[in-house]
Each structure stands twice: as structure tokens, then as C-alpha cells.
Amino acid sequence: MKHIYERTAKYTKLGSLLSLVIYMALVIIFRDVMWKDLETHFMIGFTIFMLFGTSIFFQHAAEKLPDEKKIDSEYYTVDFPVHELNFQNDISFIPRSYLVSHTGERLYTITPTEDQSVTRKLSAFAIFKRGIFFPITYDLKTIDGKLVSQFSIKNKFKFMQIEVCDQTKTHISTVIMPIISVKNRAVIFDTNNEKTHQMEAKSTYGDIDVNSFEGKRLATYRFGMFPYATHPAFEAQAMNTHVSLASDLTHIEKLTFTALFYYWTANQ
């Protein structure tokens, strides 16, 4: 998280300075038209002020955090031994999200796969990264770059589909969701097309409890005030989400829930 806050501060500061330089150049070039336009001066000045203020805010947030600890790559491996999912978006043209620990250390990364170079580049535009127009595949990797899982998001016209694969790119599950819905809903199928899980958000804000057919709690999704939301690593984020997984979930269930909640949260 310290890394993300520092990058946010850097790019918003550069944005404010670049906007100021461009604006001053326009005023000089078109001085006869722009010099008396007080409304434009005010709006652009306010925008530059907000960008610069945002950079200071995130820089102060970064300073609250200690230097990021080196992740134990012998533990956070392709076996994916996680019991919670805290999604955080990085500052990048190509979408890049991290699964971070409760103190903000980056554990895993999720990005469009490099196997699809054209789709990967198109994902820089928000309209393409959800698979609405073109299928898109994401890689879940360890911090040192080893593939953990791969999942593809496709628009089947009547519904959205997420096809989840393991580290060998073998199909392990399929998630079906409505294209448009007031509340997040999904049905999960195994490789034999047998329904394994069905879930629906409690409210339009998105709180979800995922239960098995026997009523056992498998996962919970919370927005905002989850257990770590007051930690400095999460205080500066406008949107925080937290997914808690049951301790005895199978490897397939963990990978499937990660793909599903990524679609619902980090990929919005």
C-alpha cells in the first residue's frame, strides 16, 4: 500500500504541474480570448488545486506506513494459502491489482494476461476491461511472477461468464452472472456443469454471505468498515473491500472466489 500511495502522490502532482504549464501556455497564446474569461480561470485553478492537494494527502498517507516488508515467497506460493482477500488497484495504464495483507503488503498480483497482447492494451480503457465487448483473460500471480490461476471473463449475451483455470491452465470451475442486476448475484458450476454454489448480495451496497447448500458459511464480502479498515494502510482509500474465506475451503473454491470477487470489486 505504501507503494500505491507513493505512486498516486507522484502522478497527481505531475498531473497538476502539467495542467498548470499547459494552461499558462494557452493563456499566453490565446490571451485575447482567455484573459477575461474568469469562469474558466476559476475552474482550471480549482482543478489544479485539487490535484495538488490530493498528491499531498496521499504522500502524507504513505509517510504513515513503514517500508513494505519483503514477502515470504516460500509461503505465498502457487498453493495460494490465503484466508482473506483485500483488493487494491495500482496506478497503471494496464489494469493491475494487488491482493494485500491486513497491513498493506502486496502478496499477489492480478493483471490482464500477456498472452493476449491486443486485449491487454485495450484493457487500458475501462469500457473493455470487464469483458463486455471482448473476452479478456487475467493472470493471478505470485509477487515473483509465478502463475497461480488464470480466469477469462466473457459476455455470453444472456449472461456474463467467468471461466477459472489453475496454474496449469486447466479448467476447474465456471461462474455465471446476470449482465445487469441491482444486486450482485452468481452461480458457480464445477467442470461437470454441476451447480456447487449460488449467492446474492444482501443489499445494493454489496454485503454478501456465501453459504454452501448445507448452510455452512464459505465466504463473506464487506464494503467499507471491515476489520482492518482503520489501519493506516487502508485509511486513505475511498473504497475498501474485504473478503473473508473459510479456513477449510478447497484450492478450487479459493481460486473461484478470487476471480468472482475481483470481477465484483477490483475490476469495477
Side-chain angles (χ1 to χ4, degrees):
M1 292 297 292
K2 185 181 181 72
H3 158 84
I4 295 174
Y5 287 178
E6 288 176 338
R7 282 170 62 86
T8 302
K10 174 183 176 181
Y11 285 107
T12 51
K13 181 180 288 186
L14 287 175
S16 66
L17 294 176
L18 182 61
S19 298
L20 179 60
V21 170
I22 293 174
Y23 177 62
M24 291 177 65
L26 290 174
V27 169
I28 294 173
I29 296 172
F30 302 103
R31 55 182 177 274
D32 293 338
V33 176
M34 297 189 64
W35 191 252
K36 298 179 180 179
D37 191 349
L38 297 180
E39 184 177 346
T40 300
H41 293 327
F42 174 79
M43 292 301 298
I44 295 179
F46 180 76
T47 300
I48 293 173
F49 174 78
M50 289 298 296
L51 284 172
F52 191 75
T54 299
S55 71
I56 295 175
F57 173 74
F58 276 98
Q59 186 60 47
H60 285 168
E63 291 170 357
K64 290 183 179 180
L65 299 175
D67 291 336
E68 193 169 326
K69 297 178 182 177
K70 184 177 180 180
I71 296 303
D72 185 358
S73 59
E74 294 183 0
Y75 180 74
Y76 292 104
T77 63
V78 295
D79 294 330
F80 203 54
V82 299
H83 299 299
E84 61 185 11
L85 307 172
N86 297 310
F87 294 98
Q88 296 297 340
N89 294 332
D90 198 358
I91 305 301
S92 173
F93 287 108
I94 303 300
R96 180 171 56 208
S97 295
Y98 293 105
L99 294 178
V100 303
S101 70
H102 65 281
T103 53
E105 283 81 23
R106 292 168 290 168
L107 308 179
Y108 294 90
T109 182
I110 302 176
T111 58
T113 182
E114 296 180 357
D115 297 338
Q116 300 174 346
S117 58
V118 175
T119 307
R120 178 181 171 84
K121 292 174 182 176
L122 286 174
S123 67
F125 302 95
I127 195 172
F128 293 117
K129 69 180 184 178
R130 298 194 67 194
I132 297 292
F133 299 100
F134 303 102
I136 185 168
T137 299
Y138 288 88
D139 288 338
L140 168 63
K141 293 183 177 181
T142 61
I143 290 301
D144 54 3
K146 296 177 182 177
L147 185 66
V148 177
S149 175
Q150 197 173 71
F151 56 92
S152 300
I153 305 173
K154 303 175 183 179
N155 184 348
K156 293 294 187 176
F157 299 106
K158 292 184 179 180
F159 55 86
M160 295 298 297
Q161 173 186 291
I162 303 177
E163 189 174 274
V164 185
C165 300
D166 62 14
Q167 70 270 23
T168 65
K169 300 183 181 180
T170 301
H171 177 222
I172 57 175
S173 65
T174 302
V175 184
I176 301 298
M177 302 160 293
I179 294 179
I180 299 175
S181 179
V182 175
K183 298 181 182 180
N184 287 327
R185 292 186 289 126
V187 180
I188 300 176
F189 298 87
D190 62 18
T191 53
N192 297 317
N193 290 325
E194 295 289 336
K195 184 190 296 184
T196 59
H197 305 298
Q198 183 169 330
M199 61 204 73
E200 181 177 338
K202 287 184 174 181
S203 67
T204 55
Y205 292 100
D207 283 0
I208 300 172
D209 292 331
V210 181
N211 297 326
S212 67
F213 290 131
E214 293 76 27
K216 179 182 177 181
R217 184 64 47 82
L218 300 176
T220 60
Y221 160 63
R222 295 293 181 264
F223 169 82
M225 293 302 295
F226 59 86
Y228 311 123
T230 56
H231 189 283
F234 301 96
E235 283 181 344
Q237 292 289 318
M239 177 178 178
N240 283 305
T241 59
H242 174 80
V243 178
S244 177
L245 303 175
S247 59
D248 58 348
L249 286 186
T250 66
H251 185 64
I252 291 176
E253 287 174 323
K254 286 183 180 180
L255 296 181
T256 302
F257 287 154
T258 300
L260 172 60
F261 286 112
Y262 175 79
Y263 179 83
W264 277 345
T265 61
N267 196 33
Q268 300 303 313

